[in-house]
């Protein structure tokens, strides 16, 4: 997939012919989620379908072990709007986690999530040697 913009409603159904990019789209979403929740890139790519370099733009035909000087790129961007229910769930979880802390911090009822719209952008580059 390249230069794809998709605005998803609360419920979306993906239908299309074989090799249309449905699985690639879901792989990209899963990889983005894994990257932002993993400690390292190696860990993020552990459950990714295929080899890590296959997720990258191969415009320059950079492959593992290649001697070419090009750089492969992977860019993922996501704009997310949090629902009121999601914010309430997270705020309640934060309060639960703070219950054992000192009274001044734990009893403060202020909400910590102030933004409903979040934007994420992640760009990775891989050299021909396979290093990220």
């Amino acid at each position: 997939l390249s230069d794809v913009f998709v605005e998803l409603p609360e419920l979306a159904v993906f239908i299309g012919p074989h090799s249309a990019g449905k699985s690639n789209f879901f792989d990209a979403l899963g990889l983005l989620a894994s990257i932002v929740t993993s400690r390292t890139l190696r860990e993020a790519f552990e459950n990714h379908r295929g080899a890590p370099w296959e997720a990258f733009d191969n415009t320059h035909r950079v492959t593992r072990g290649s001697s070419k000087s090009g750089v492969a790129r992977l860019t993922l961007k996501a704009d997310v709007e949090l629902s009121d229910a999601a914010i309430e769930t997270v705020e309640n979880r934060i309060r639960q986690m703070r219950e054992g802390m000192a009274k001044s911090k734990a009893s403060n009822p202020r909400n910590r999530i102030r933004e409903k719209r979040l934007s994420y952008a992640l760009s990775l580059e891989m050299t021909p040697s396979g290093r990220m």
Side-chain angles (χ1 to χ4, degrees):
L1 299 175
S2 179
D3 294 324
V4 174
F5 175 82
V6 178
E7 188 168 338
L8 297 174
E10 289 185 30
L11 175 65
V13 178
F14 286 75
I15 300 171
H18 295 296
S19 300
K22 299 178 301 291
S23 295
N24 289 345
F25 176 75
F26 289 112
D27 285 347
L29 287 178
L31 183 58
L32 177 62
S34 184
I35 287 171
V36 299
T37 58
S38 298
R39 292 178 305 211
T40 65
L41 285 176
R42 181 181 304 268
E43 182 181 302
F45 275 93
E46 280 179 358
N47 293 319
H48 182 68
R49 184 172 57 112
W53 62 88
E54 293 174 334
F56 288 76
D57 174 5
N58 66 352
T59 304
H60 302 290
R61 303 285 184 245
V62 176
T63 58
R64 189 177 181 120
S66 169
S67 61
K68 295 186 179 182
S69 61
V71 174
R73 290 179 179 81
L74 170 67
T75 300
L76 301 170
K77 296 178 183 178
D79 293 321
V80 178
E81 185 171 350
L82 301 175
S83 68
D84 292 334
I87 291 172
E88 183 178 344
T89 299
V90 172
E91 291 289 355
N92 287 336
R93 181 70 178 127
I94 291 170
R95 282 194 263 298
Q96 289 172 356
M97 291 171 61
R98 291 181 155 267
E99 283 178 359
M101 299 178 82
K103 281 241 184 238
S104 61
K105 290 182 182 179
S107 62
N108 188 350
R110 70 181 171 94
N111 286 343
R112 287 164 173 69
I113 300 173
R114 294 180 183 89
E115 299 294 331
K116 289 186 85 166
R117 294 180 183 207
L118 308 173
S119 291
Y120 296 94
L122 172 71
S123 291
L124 301 173
E125 290 185 351
M126 181 181 275
T127 62
S129 66
R131 293 188 187 125
M132 286 186 268

